[in-house]
Amino acid sequence: MADLEFPIPKYRDYPEVPAIKAGAMAHSRPHVASEKIQEALGYQTKLAEDWQVTHDKAIGKFGELLGKYRSLKVFMDSCVHCGACTDKCHYFIGTNDPKNMPVARQELMRSVYRRYFTLAGKMFPSLVGAQDLTKELLDEWYTYFWQCSECRRCSVFCPYGIDTAEVTMAARNILDTVGYGQKYTNEILGKVNKIGNNLGLPGPALENTLEGLEEDLKEDTGFDIKYPLDVQGAEVLLVTPSADFFAEPHIESLIGYGKVFHAAGISWTLSSYASEAGNFGMFDGDYEMMRKVALRIRKAALELGVKRIVVGECGHAWRIAYAFWNTLSGLGAGANDPFAIELQKQLDPRYKQPSHICEFTWDLIQQGRLQFDKEANDHRIITFHDSCNVARASRMGDYPGGQFEIPRNIIKAVANKYVEMAPDTIREATFCCGGGGGILTDELVEARIKGAFPRMEALQQVVDQHGVNFMATICAICKAQFTKVLPYYGFNMRLVGGVHQLVSTAIRLGNEQ
Amino acid sequence: MTLFFAILFYLATALFVVGLAYKIYDFARTPAPLSIPTTPAPTTTTGVAFRMTREVVLFESLFKGNLWIWLFGWLFHMGLFLVLVRHLRYFIDPIPAWLLFFQPFGKYAAFMMIAGLGGLWARRFLVERIRYITTPSDHLWLALLIGIGISGAAMTFVSHVDVVAVKAFFLGLMVFEINPLPAHPALIIHLLLVALLLILFPFSKLLHAPGVFFSPTRNQADNPREKRHLAAWAAQIEKN
Ligand code: HEM
Ligand code: HEM
Ligand code: SF4
Ligand code: SF4
């Protein structure tokens, strides 16, 4: 744990809204993508020498996006500055920087919208808060649109559902276009496009890792739990975040998935070509990039001839899989165009396509096909952290809110001790881990630590009151982020883990006597 | 003066109608390429209609978000709604029974409206965060609406105006006939401000009124696995 140049926020006696501190996070800037990284994605490699060129290109792209996205257009026009969202963002609560209030973040972009695209802003800029796009303003975009995790918490409380995530995505898309990309996100996109996963783990290395895992599990459990790779004709294709292949605690959940497939006796496979559920194309709102990444999974599914697609524990990946795959790659149901039908006629219509691994496991539990020794989890007092993209941007099961119930149902089916955190910090009001949406990089550690503050505060409460020692979550980014920031708040980093880690602990693997 | 107001109202109404219609057309023609309802969201269109109704009538999300803003905002808008319903009597002849029934409610709704606006305005001064995000035009809008409210209430409760003549004037305009408008100071202020409101509406944040119906996070059904959403420009990419 390195020394920090800033203090960790102090827990509050009452959850009162902090006073604003203008400019508190103005220094926060992620590393800019190199020319090589930008080039690999087909973006302009760097900012033009001549500001006017950048300016015109940015405004041109802005106009294009306004024509393509109703969300952006309606959101630019509709905000009344009512202020309901001002205290909803974890980055504002943790940093007190007023530009981290969702409406103020939007206003960085809306002021430009007003100036160039509305009559009022052209005629009376200062009256309606319109301003010219300058280099300084573009730098501010870079600073503050990289302090938004696209968690959508603000959109829950806005009377018009204005979703700052949509605004952030559009702003980042413009930044990419003018050659002002962010290193972390764009570097990873380069890897997934080239190699098939965010870690840049090539096929043979993946094969080795999985074999090693099989051996370890044989030793630990005595069972032949398989991690099949590229198996033609398997029933299920599992697509999971690549962190599951060797980051801690992610791998514990991977072990859990394998045990579930083993215990249920369902044939499955991973794909070396599509060994990544994550899709950072969403973070910069680049439709074509996102589509390109999604098409890898379509291709793998077609080639392997699988009947079902199941997605591992990952928040943004589940949003893309659940809400966008049908659009991007036809992976879903109900289409009537040849492109989508080609895949959809192959998939088994009795199952939801794609399914979340929690839906998959919960179905099996309900059918009585999995047995558990719940006591095996008795050393754990468990709480559940809802991940933003699962909570506010997707669903599980048949009814609205299934995304909250199903993971909890699984936990309660495999463990005895479960408690909830404060009601205004879970379910649709859940607080982001502080590292989502492309923020999970070392140079943004201050924003990450401070952004985790509201969640840490709620966690501290249940730790104090109930002795909670395990916070389950179903997101690779949440797991990585918490592992990093928990120690700063005085917690053990092993406090965080996956839902299938709990499943793994309790599941009965075979006919043990 | 009568002529001035006749021209003003033709102009203001034209700008309001054309401007608003254009904006609505603009919202409607812009595609929503991805399924982005804020979940949990209804899975059917009927469900979406209920959600939208709750948003528009009860300000459900705002209620979850901030009780004070909700209270003042809802008072203002409900007051405004009742006042506007009562105002229909200037434009409809003969007055239907339900509208007659409404008249007394509309009358006192003026106070609801003004109180709500006052509360909203106070927040813009008293709450630091909201002061930070307030632009001059936010203040002007509140001033304008309070001005309309007070000048109107002045006619209703302080110094009456010949409402029969007012009605004759507006009914006349509808059939391109110009009847004399009573020269009453409160009425002149009232009508000038109303004309300003109509003119500015399509160019301002008042677009939240049509906007809420077009907001994809609220008006989409949560059914992406069952139905393929594809915008025309996105389908084009697929052909390449
Ligand atoms: C579909 C109809 C409408 C809906 C659902 C709606 C909803 C809302 C909501 C939820 C707010 C935020 C809370 C508040 O500040 O009151 C608001 C603000 C506002 N609305 Fe509306 N509104 C509608 C129509 C109108 C109309 C017709 C007008 C004007 C004649 C209007 C004027 C305003 C103003 C000026 C504000 C900002 C108040 C402030 O400065 O705090 N609204 N509206
Ligand atoms: C062409 C449009 C309008 C005309 C001709 C008009 C005319 C009038 C008249 C004649 C009165 C006095 C009623 C009486 O003495 O009983 C009045 C009252 C009032 N007006 Fe208007 N008005 C118009 C638009 C508006 C608008 C758009 C608003 C709100 C934004 C508004 C708000 C009020 C209020 C609050 C009162 C007092 C309460 C009441 O009597 O309803 N008016 N208006
Ligand atoms: S989407 Fe989340 S991170 Fe971004 S402004 Fe809204 S609350 Fe903050
Ligand atoms: S809640 Fe919505 S309308 Fe209100 S200030 Fe925030 S973004 Fe604007």
Side-chain angles (χ1 to χ4, degrees):
Chain A
M1 216 164 89
D3 285 338
L4 296 178
E5 287 155 17
F6 54 89
I8 308 292
K10 290 242 171 358
Y11 295 139
R12 300 165 290 181
D13 296 333
Y14 306 99
E16 59 192 4
V17 183
I20 62 181
K21 279 195 223 126
M25 287 299 279
H27 56 279
S28 177
R29 275 169 65 83
H31 297 324
V32 177
S34 68
E35 294 184 34
K36 215 174 115 209
I37 293 174
Q38 289 287 98
E39 196 183 348
L41 300 183
Y43 293 136
Q44 183 168 316
T45 53
K46 58 174 182 173
L47 283 174
E49 300 288 328
D50 182 359
W51 166 249
Q52 196 59 38
V53 174
T54 301
H55 170 276
D56 294 352
K57 197 160 182 180
I59 299 299
K61 183 71 184 176
F62 198 168
E64 178 196 325
L65 294 176
L66 285 167
K68 282 180 158 178
Y69 290 89
R70 182 186 291 169
S71 51
L72 187 63
K73 176 168 278 175
V74 171
F75 296 165
M76 285 293 117
D77 274 329
S78 298
C79 174
V80 297
H81 298 161
C82 75
C85 61
T86 52
D87 56 351
K88 300 299 183 282
C89 178
H90 50 288
Y91 292 114
F92 171 69
I93 299 173
T95 69
N96 308 343
D97 187 319
K99 291 196 171 139
N100 275 332
M101 301 191 294
V103 47
R105 197 188 310 288
Q106 295 162 24
E107 213 65 16
L108 292 169
M109 197 165 182
R110 189 174 288 113
S111 58
V112 175
Y113 169 75
R114 290 236 169 82
R115 186 73 181 114
Y116 296 86
F117 300 98
T118 72
L119 199 63
K122 283 177 188 159
M123 288 165 51
F124 315 104
S126 56
L127 194 65
V128 295
Q131 53 181 335
D132 288 320
L133 181 62
T134 58
K135 176 70 170 65
E136 291 68 43
L137 185 56
L138 200 72
D139 286 337
E140 257 196 308
W141 281 26
Y142 195 74
T143 292
Y144 289 103
F145 287 118
W146 287 108
Q147 285 181 65
C148 170
S149 56
E150 304 178 344
C151 77
R152 314 188 94 199
R153 189 168 195 269
C154 44
S155 99
V156 170
F157 301 102
C158 172
Y160 322 115
I162 295 178
D163 180 5
T164 314
E166 291 288 311
V167 177
T168 296
M169 288 173 194
R172 292 180 183 177
N173 199 342
I174 294 171
L175 287 166
D176 278 331
T177 311
V178 299
Y180 205 171
Q182 187 232 36
K183 174 170 179 260
Y184 168 72
T185 306
N186 286 359
E187 192 170 37
I188 282 183
L189 274 168
K191 283 186 201 160
V192 74
N193 282 334
K194 209 162 131 207
I195 300 168
N197 57 59
N198 289 354
L199 295 175
L201 189 67
L206 181 58
E207 204 176 325
N208 271 336
T209 310
L210 295 176
E211 275 169 18
L213 188 61
E214 287 176 354
E215 283 162 24
D216 291 350
L217 280 175
K218 175 79 181 169
E219 224 164 87
D220 289 352
T221 66
F223 287 94
D224 284 311
I225 296 156
K226 291 291 171 208
Y227 286 83
L229 187 63
D230 298 328
V231 175
Q232 281 287 334
E235 163 94 4
V236 174
L237 170 64
L238 178 76
V239 189
T240 202
S242 55
D244 283 1
F245 297 129
F246 58 81
E248 274 291 342
H250 307 63
I251 199 163
E252 305 294 336
S253 285
L254 180 67
I255 294 174
Y257 317 151
K259 288 182 180 174
V260 169
F261 284 114
H262 175 92
I266 295 173
S267 74
W268 67 292
T269 186
L270 292 157
S271 156
S272 56
Y273 176 75
S275 46
E276 178 62 64
N279 186 340
F280 283 22
M282 183 178 88
F283 298 161
D284 291 16
D286 184 334
Y287 187 96
E288 293 193 40
M289 189 68 67
M290 193 157 73
R291 178 166 181 271
K292 193 170 164 193
V293 176
L295 285 180
R296 296 182 79 93
I297 293 152
R298 171 188 165 92
K299 189 164 169 225
L302 285 169
E303 280 175 10
L304 294 169
V306 293
K307 297 276 171 245
R308 306 171 65 177
I309 318 272
V310 174
V311 180
E313 294 181 359
C314 183
H316 84 282
W318 178 239
R319 176 180 193 184
I320 293 167
Y322 170 85
F324 301 164
W325 272 359
N326 204 352
T327 299
L328 297 171
S329 63
L331 202 171
N336 49 21
D337 58 293
F339 172 81
I341 286 175
E342 184 190 359
L343 177 56
Q344 298 189 358
K345 68 170 195 283
Q346 174 190 315
L347 300 174
D348 188 336
R350 288 174 303 166
Y351 301 102
K352 292 202 156 51
Q353 307 285 2
S355 292
H356 193 280
I357 186 74
C358 285
E359 290 178 306
F360 180 79
T361 301
W362 179 238
D363 277 349
L364 292 170
I365 293 176
Q366 282 181 305
Q367 293 163 17
R369 290 170 68 184
L370 301 176
Q371 309 303 324
F372 301 97
D373 296 313
K374 292 173 85 167
E375 299 69 34
N377 273 314
D378 275 355
H379 59 296
R380 291 177 170 139
I381 301 169
I382 303 161
T383 191
F384 182 67
H385 162 79
D386 290 280
S387 301
C388 348
N389 276 302
V390 177
R392 291 185 284 259
S394 73
R395 177 163 52 100
M396 289 181 204
D398 290 322
Y399 55 98
Q403 68 270 35
F404 309 131
E405 304 310 330
I406 290 178
R408 285 173 171 80
N409 290 346
I410 296 179
I411 296 174
K412 289 174 192 160
V414 304
N416 288 313
K417 300 175 189 165
Y418 178 75
V419 292
E420 290 286 3
M421 286 182 276
D424 55 342
T425 70
I426 55 169
R427 295 173 181 260
E428 70 169 349
T430 187
F431 277 108
C432 171
C433 63
I439 309 291
L440 194 74
T441 173
D442 280 342
E443 71 271 21
L444 291 179
V445 71
E446 180 173 0
R448 286 170 58 189
I449 291 176
K450 292 181 172 174
F453 171 68
R455 170 50 74 225
M456 293 297 106
E457 209 172 37
L459 177 62
Q460 186 72 55
Q461 258 180 25
V462 287
V463 168
D464 292 344
Q465 288 169 12
H466 304 282
V468 163
N469 61 10
F470 193 92
M471 179 166 64
T473 184
I474 44 174
C475 173
I477 290 179
C478 293
K479 289 173 195 169
Q481 155 76 355
F482 284 133
T483 303
K484 169 100 182 176
V485 304
L486 279 168
Y488 291 102
Y489 287 90
F491 297 113
N492 184 336
M493 67 183 224
R494 298 206 160 263
L495 199 103
V496 65
V499 167
H500 279 77
Q501 181 172 347
L502 301 172
V503 171
S504 170
T505 304
I507 194 168
R508 282 193 206 148
L509 290 169
N511 318 316
E512 283 151 305
Q513 280 76 43
Chain B
M1 192 199 69
T2 297
L3 189 64
F4 168 76
F5 271 101
I7 295 171
L8 181 65
F9 267 88
Y10 278 131
L11 201 83
T13 312
L15 267 172
F16 174 76
V17 172
V18 173
L20 197 59
Y22 175 75
K23 233 23 240 198
I24 290 175
Y25 161 73
D26 195 29
F27 287 161
R29 75 168 168 177
T30 310
L34 292 164
S35 169
I36 58 165
T38 309
T39 59
T43 54
T44 60
T45 324
T46 325
V48 168
F50 275 111
R51 181 187 206 179
M52 191 57 83
T53 308
R54 292 198 307 273
E55 288 296 353
V56 172
V57 179
L58 304 175
F59 299 0
E60 184 182 41
S61 296
L62 185 60
F63 183 79
K64 288 192 265 186
N66 187 306
L67 275 178
W68 283 111
I69 306 178
W70 177 83
L71 179 72
F72 294 130
W74 196 78
L75 272 179
F76 156 51
H77 284 85
M78 272 307 121
L80 175 71
F81 174 74
L82 293 174
V83 164
L84 291 181
V85 170
R86 173 168 142 98
H87 275 64
L88 287 176
R89 66 181 178 156
Y90 304 117
F91 307 95
I92 303 179
D93 195 66
I95 298 174
W98 63 267
L99 191 52
L100 272 179
F101 168 79
F102 240 104
Q103 294 301 316
F105 298 102
K107 196 164 162 182
Y108 297 100
F111 297 111
M112 248 170 105
M113 181 179 146
I114 296 169
L117 286 165
L120 289 170
W121 210 354
R123 284 185 59 83
R124 295 208 178 273
F125 291 104
L126 299 178
V127 182
E128 189 192 26
R129 298 185 315 275
I130 300 186
R131 196 162 62 228
Y132 181 89
I133 58 169
T134 298
T135 61
S137 69
D138 294 328
H139 288 299
L140 291 179
W141 271 117
L142 290 165
L144 177 78
L145 285 161
I146 288 189
I148 296 179
I150 292 182
S151 57
M155 289 182 280
T156 312
F157 300 103
V158 185
S159 153
H160 288 293
V161 65
D162 179 357
V163 293
V164 178
V166 174
K167 179 165 187 167
F169 174 78
F170 279 95
L171 284 179
L173 288 188
M174 283 150 81
V175 292
F176 302 101
E177 240 175 58
I178 296 185
N179 299 322
L181 186 68
H184 184 291
L187 181 67
I188 290 171
I189 296 174
H190 196 67
L191 293 185
L192 279 176
L193 294 179
V194 169
L196 195 60
L197 173 91
L198 291 175
I199 293 169
L200 295 180
F201 197 110
F203 306 100
S204 70
K205 67 173 189 175
L206 295 202
L207 289 172
H208 68 280
V212 61
F213 296 100
F214 286 96
S215 174
T217 59
R218 293 290 180 272
N219 77 5
Q220 290 183 336
D222 178 24
N223 60 3
R225 283 192 288 194
E226 291 75 30
K227 190 170 163 284
R228 185 157 199 242
H229 296 248
L230 199 63
W233 63 260
Q236 209 50 47
I237 301 176
E238 228 157 69
K239 300 223 168 67
N240 298 331

